[in-house]
Amino acid sequence: DGGITQSPKYLFRKEGQNVTLSCEQNLNHDAMYWYRQDPGQGLRLIYYSQIVNDFQKGDIAEGYSVSREKKESFPLTVTSAQKNPTAFYLCASSIDGGQGYYEQYFGPGTRLTVT
Amino acid sequence: QQPVQSPQAVILREGEDAVINCSSSKALYSVHWYRQKHGEAPVFLMILLKGGEQKGHEKISASFNEKKQQSSLYLTASQLSYSGTYFCGTEVGYQKVTFGTGTKLQVIP
């Protein structure tokens, strides 16, 4: 079955530690995304990547870093510079279906708690 | 900048209709609509492209006014399964989608 996997589902870290969230897809999608979800604020774009070895900052990239060394993988590192890292993190991917049509497929998410 | 959705929340009885609005301050390539049920990942509903017509399937449809940079989602004869949070996503750059704050919809018997 094709899909997006995120691991782990729940993650706990101490303040001041960097943490990396995993995102893998076997849909052969070119584009991948990271969103952060907080209550009442919807989904906010952190980073996105349209092709391997290239990525762009989203609306809230400060305190985060990503890499895209392989088409199927797009890990997100939450650094100690992120002021309020506790949130629900969603990874997504998409492929251009032509004529501007595409849809995003989301992974199940990782809930990160930093204390 | 995130698009603005309204209302923030709505409660419907089964069979009633609802409209969810999405407004952006930027010119849009397209508008996406997703639904997220509690504890689950968002699921794609539809995409509306510039120059495209009203899209939809079954009892959920949407429109896109490019000039006003607005989109509306229409839910007709709502069912219990329609409950969830609805997000509009606006594409302001190629494959860069920015989501709104969401509209929480609850359908009750």
Side-chain angles (χ1 to χ4, degrees):
Chain A
D1 282 333
I4 301 177
T5 55
Q6 291 185 244
S7 60
K9 190 171 182 177
Y10 299 95
L11 192 54
F12 298 89
R13 280 294 184 270
K14 294 288 188 185
E15 195 174 324
Q17 293 179 335
N18 290 355
V19 58
T20 297
L21 280 59
S22 167
C23 177
E24 303 277 332
Q25 55 100 357
N26 60 3
L27 299 166
N28 199 33
H29 286 178
D30 294 311
M32 296 186 74
Y33 309 78
W34 274 105
Y35 292 93
R36 170 181 172 141
Q37 188 169 28
D38 297 282
Q41 297 197 50
L43 303 166
R44 292 185 291 167
L45 182 63
I46 304 173
Y47 269 97
Y48 66 109
S49 167
Q50 294 171 341
I51 55 172
V52 174
N53 292 323
D54 187 47
F55 47 83
Q56 287 80 41
K57 292 182 179 180
D59 301 315
I60 56 165
E62 187 175 347
Y64 299 97
S65 67
V66 293
S67 63
R68 187 84 188 276
E69 297 176 1
K70 299 186 295 181
K71 188 175 184 178
E72 56 270 23
S73 178
F74 192 39
L76 173 75
T77 297
V78 184
T79 75
S80 56
Q82 168 52 230
K83 301 296 182 193
N84 185 19
T86 295
F88 187 53
Y89 291 87
L90 284 161
C91 178
S93 70
S94 69
I95 190 166
D96 189 341
Q99 298 182 323
Y101 174 87
Y102 67 96
E103 63 182 87
Q104 293 190 344
Y105 292 78
F106 283 85
T110 291
R111 191 167 296 280
L112 174 65
T113 302
V114 177
T115 57
Chain B
Q1 191 170 6
Q2 287 182 282
V4 177
Q5 287 185 235
S6 63
Q8 291 186 328
V10 58
I11 299 176
L12 298 175
R13 291 201 177 274
E14 268 188 296
E16 291 183 337
D17 302 338
V19 180
I20 300 172
N21 299 303
C22 175
S23 178
S24 174
S25 59
K26 297 184 177 183
L28 304 175
Y29 289 91
S30 67
V31 177
H32 301 224
W33 285 97
Y34 287 76
R35 176 171 61 207
Q36 183 180 31
K37 292 187 178 285
H38 183 70
E40 299 179 8
V43 173
F44 175 82
L45 292 176
M46 64 187 72
I47 180 173
L48 298 106
L49 306 174
K50 276 180 70 171
E53 58 211 37
Q54 187 170 8
K55 302 287 185 183
H57 55 90
E58 297 181 350
K59 297 175 182 175
I60 299 177
S61 62
S63 62
F64 178 22
N65 186 323
E66 300 159 36
K67 288 185 179 179
K68 292 186 177 180
Q69 295 155 195
Q70 294 175 344
S71 177
S72 294
L73 186 73
Y74 306 94
L75 298 106
T76 306
S78 58
Q79 305 168 11
L80 294 175
S81 61
Y82 287 4
S83 293
T85 301
Y86 289 78
F87 293 99
C88 73
T90 52
E91 185 184 8
V92 297
Y94 180 62
Q95 291 197 339
K96 179 185 178 184
V97 179
T98 301
F99 286 94
T101 53
T103 295
K104 189 170 183 180
L105 177 75
Q106 184 181 1
V107 181
I108 57 177

